[in-house]
Amino acid sequence: MSVEGIALVKHFGGEGEVAAVRGVSFQAPAGRITSLLGPSGSGKSTLLRMVAGLEKPDAGTVHIDGRDVTRIPVREREVGFVFQSYALFRHMTVADNVAFGLRIRKRPKDAIAKKVSALLDLVQLGEYGHRLPDELSGGQRQRIALARALATEPRVLLLDEPFGALDTKVRVELREWLLRLHEELPVTTLLVTHDQEEAFELSEHVVLLDAGTVAQAGSPTEIYERPANPFVAAFVGGANKLAGDRDAFVRPQDVGVRKAHGEDGDHVAIVERLVRIGGYVKLSVAMKDGHTITVQMPKHEFDERGIERGDRVLVDLRDVKTFPRGDYAI
Amino acid sequence: MSAAVSSLGRRSVGQRVQDEPPAARAALIAVALAFLGLFLVLPLALVFVSAFSEGVGAFVSAITHPDTLSAIRLTLLTAAIAVPLNVVFGIAAAWLISKYEFAGKSVLLSLIDLPFSVSPVISGLLFVLLFGAQSPLAPLLALADVRVIFAVPGIVLATTFVTFPLVAREVLAVMQAEGSQEEEAALTMGATGLQILWHVTLPKVRWGVLYGVILCNARAMGEFGAVSVVSGHIRGETNTLPLHVEILYNEYVFAGAFAVASLLASLALVTLVAKEVVQWRARRGRTPLRPAPEVGA
Ligand SMILES: Nc1ncnc2c1ncn2[C@@H]1O[C@H](COP(=O)(O)OP(=O)(O)OP(=O)(O)O)[C@@H](O)[C@H]1O
Ligand SMILES: [Mg+2]
């Protein structure tokens, strides 16, 4: 059940407005989780909604398992959709929410009951069937939303920032939980997120979007190690942009600093700010050319070097990604 | 973010009130209460006092007079037709407007408000023009032997027209505030439009519908202007309760007029209580309701 989008275009509003999606093609391999990653407004949700059929593309086609479904109505696409804000039916109990799609399909009562309790167990909320959605925590609600989407055995699971409304701790927990769930139940999944860590951790295939176009598609490693263009280089890993006649980027953890002892030159900088965040330290250092770059290093390494605020340091740029200067706006 | 802003806003208002010296606060409250008493409580109390001014016997005989009973029947009949019609059309219009994009949507939106933007008397006249003796439809109606103007159908039509926005507006506001993600979720699970309406949308907006029904019912039973124009004031036939009150009053049957008026006043009180109950329930379910709209009479 692979999913494929070909040259998808979607405009909202008037002629003058820039399209939300401007010719996006992508592939989501069967049985895997594919992430649609990108900054806010890059068209991720619009793309996902076109796959679901909730939005009609102006041009381009959507294929599920090789079959063109562009003209097939939502109801018949057999997709499961999970919204950032859960979209649970608030007047129905949790069990009735999960049963909804099965009741619509007029499945026998006892089969529905069986399936619902199996699904509630699957999302580890077996005891919560009689509750109303308002009586659950955000993380629990999102697991119910997922169970509800899975109830009708969709061919494709579409998740639009499913963990976006949750706090960091719950998010990380649910991420691991989702991975395990997916191992158990390998449904082809498209995950929309603006969180690169989430995308890299959950999926083997990432489609990185920029202003309605695909900036790069590939495995997390490919995208991280070999950014295809300055946008990707800057977006992934919060890279520093360096001065020079070419577009050059370096990630905070790819910069080393040590105390300067009288040396001089382009690589000498002043430590303007340092913040300790758990196991690592973040420094802002002002380069000779006026740029400030962010450096991130492990705490123990930092402590060994005895660097303090205001110190002159030697900067070592270990992994610089360079691109011929284009007219990219970042 | 918005929650933080609004709670901040609330706090600053609270503080301003607390900053008033106690004497000023007491004075303000006294003025407000005096105003309320003078303009709301006193007239209402007066209605009931006047109703019983000639004794319980007179009250009972005024209420049980055949003309009064006929007016009660007609009023109930009118509401029993107008309210369900407006519930059906109101939900349909709100559903159309909030769920679909189509040409002429803004026209439909302003049409919904039309009954509120014209005086009810004009609304009544519209129906007289449309169905009266001078209308191009008159020969047809005569042929079918149907009387609309100066008859019950005209009263029902005018009442339905005047009260149309109450349900539609209320339901529309709730539908727009609630968004349509739940409907979209149901759609992806394979539900049809009707199934979504029945299982998802209607339960979601039920308090809004009920609130609209209460307002619509109160207005339908109390409507005077439009009904007065189309009714013809035929005693025992085309008199609704408000019209009956006017007739009795004009004939100097004051106690009788007030006795009948006290029925309408009681309806208003029941409406107020019902409204509060629904608002309270809706707040518990966090359904936002619009405040009752201003109604020009
Ligand atoms: N229903 C709509 N009507 C008009 N414009 C829309 C609509 N939906 C999306 N847009 C516009 O399309 C663009 C892409 O929106 P989209 O919601 O797909 O972005 P996104 O990548 O999901 O962003 P986010 O991470 O903030 O959710 C935005 O500029 C947005 O304003
Ligand atoms: Mg989005």
Side-chain angles (χ1 to χ4, degrees), chain A residues 40-41 43-46 84 160-161 192:
Chain A
S40 187
K44 309 180 293 287
S45 297
T46 308
Q84 176 173 352
D160 192 353
E161 309 237 10
V192 160

Side-chain angles (χ1 to χ4, degrees), chain A residues 49 52 54 74-75 79-81 83 85-92 97 100-101 104-106 134 148 152, chain B residues 178 181-193 195-196 199-201 203-204 206 284-287:
Chain A
R49 291 170 60 82
L54 293 170
V74 189
R75 203 179 317 127
V79 298
F81 204 107
F83 297 85
S85 50
Y86 326 121
L88 292 174
F89 307 131
R90 289 179 40 206
H91 59 283
M92 290 184 203
N97 264 279
F100 185 82
I104 292 294
R105 285 172 170 71
K106 305 252 181 330
D134 283 352
R148 187 179 67 173
T152 51
Chain B
E178 299 258 323
Q181 281 201 343
E182 290 168 36
E183 280 82 356
E184 288 183 342
L187 198 59
T188 61
M189 285 181 267
T192 61
Q195 285 171 322
I196 293 175
H199 293 294
V200 180
T201 307
K204 231 167 69 171
R206 63 192 190 277
R284 277 202 339 181
R286 278 188 263 124
T287 305

Side-chain angles (χ1 to χ4, degrees), chain A residues 4-10 21-26 50 57-61:
Chain A
E4 195 176 357
I6 299 175
L8 287 164
V9 176
K10 178 73 190 178
V21 173
R22 308 186 278 168
V24 167
S25 300
F26 71 92
M50 286 195 283
D58 296 336
T61 51

Side-chain angles (χ1 to χ4, degrees), chain A:
Chain A
M1 307 290 170
S2 62
V3 178
E4 195 176 357
I6 299 175
L8 287 164
V9 176
K10 178 73 190 178
H11 274 273
F12 289 108
E15 293 282 302
E17 288 200 35
V18 183
V21 173
R22 308 186 278 168
V24 167
S25 300
F26 71 92
Q27 280 186 325
R32 302 290 166 80
I33 301 180
T34 299
S35 290
L36 299 175
L37 174 66
S40 187
S42 54
K44 309 180 293 287
S45 297
T46 308
L47 200 55
L48 199 72
R49 291 170 60 82
M50 286 195 283
V51 173
L54 293 170
E55 218 78 70
K56 200 170 126 344
D58 296 336
T61 51
V62 175
H63 302 254
I64 296 181
D65 210 19
R67 178 165 151 250
D68 184 347
V69 296
T70 320
R71 281 164 199 292
I72 307 257
V74 189
R75 203 179 317 127
E76 291 156 31
R77 283 201 197 184
E78 297 177 57
V79 298
F81 204 107
V82 173
F83 297 85
Q84 176 173 352
S85 50
Y86 326 121
L88 292 174
F89 307 131
R90 289 179 40 206
H91 59 283
M92 290 184 203
T93 64
V94 161
D96 286 343
N97 264 279
V98 177
F100 185 82
L102 302 168
R103 294 230 171 99
I104 292 294
R105 285 172 170 71
K106 305 252 181 330
R107 296 279 162 81
K109 273 218 167 71
D110 47 341
I112 293 180
K114 243 201 202 135
K115 178 107 199 182
V116 168
S117 84
L119 278 164
L120 288 178
D121 286 341
L122 183 73
V123 300
Q124 296 161 359
L125 289 169
E127 307 295 306
Y128 292 76
H130 59 279
R131 293 222 195 165
L132 287 174
D134 283 352
E135 298 162 355
L136 299 181
S137 75
Q140 290 170 334
R141 280 183 220 180
Q142 200 53 295
R143 281 188 274 160
I144 293 301
L146 202 61
R148 187 179 67 173
L150 288 170
T152 51
E153 294 174 15
R155 299 193 291 165
V156 179
L157 192 56
L158 306 171
L159 313 174
D160 192 353
E161 309 237 10
F163 311 138
L166 305 169
D167 64 56
T168 322
K169 182 167 169 287
V170 179
R171 232 154 82 180
V172 173
E173 280 168 12
L174 277 189
R175 231 187 260 170
E176 277 160 27
W177 171 81
L178 183 66
L179 267 181
R180 268 181 277 125
L181 182 79
H182 189 259
E183 272 164 25
E184 218 170 306
L185 209 71
V187 185
T188 309
T189 302
L190 266 174
L191 170 83
V192 160
T193 177
H194 61 256
D195 180 344
Q196 41 187 295
E197 213 174 290
E198 193 167 290
F200 289 173
E201 194 175 324
L202 283 173
S203 51
E204 292 145 81
H205 187 66
V206 176
V207 179
L208 182 49
L209 295 173
D210 168 31
T213 57
V214 176
Q216 189 173 359
S219 70
T221 322
E222 270 166 22
I223 290 180
Y224 192 85
E225 299 294 340
R226 291 184 293 282
N229 53 50
F231 169 80
V232 181
F235 182 78
V236 176
N240 294 295
K241 193 172 190 295
L242 301 174
D245 52 357
R246 288 152 69 84
D247 278 326
F249 302 89
V250 64
R251 300 203 174 96
Q253 63 271 38
D254 292 333
V255 186
V257 290
R258 56 191 168 82
K259 260 193 163 150
H261 298 287
E263 297 96 331
D264 207 358
D266 284 349
H267 284 102
V268 176
I270 310 278
V271 178
E272 287 190 326
R273 208 150 53 82
L274 55 90
V275 193
R276 291 166 181 274
I277 307 164
Y280 57 91
V281 180
K282 258 190 168 167
L283 303 96
S284 297
V285 301
M287 306 287 285
K288 272 265 168 65
D289 56 26
H291 268 69
T292 300
I293 62 175
T294 306
V295 182
Q296 180 182 320
M297 58 200 298
K299 184 174 162 302
H300 61 89
E301 220 175 278
F302 176 83
D303 287 340
E304 278 167 16
R305 304 190 178 183
I307 298 171
E308 279 172 43
R309 221 181 100 181
D311 280 358
R312 277 161 44 86
V313 288
L314 282 175
V315 175
D316 172 24
L317 306 174
R318 286 192 292 253
D319 184 9
V320 181
K321 318 263 187 219
T322 53
F323 301 88
R325 167 84 19 112
D327 51 352
Y328 296 96
I330 292 157

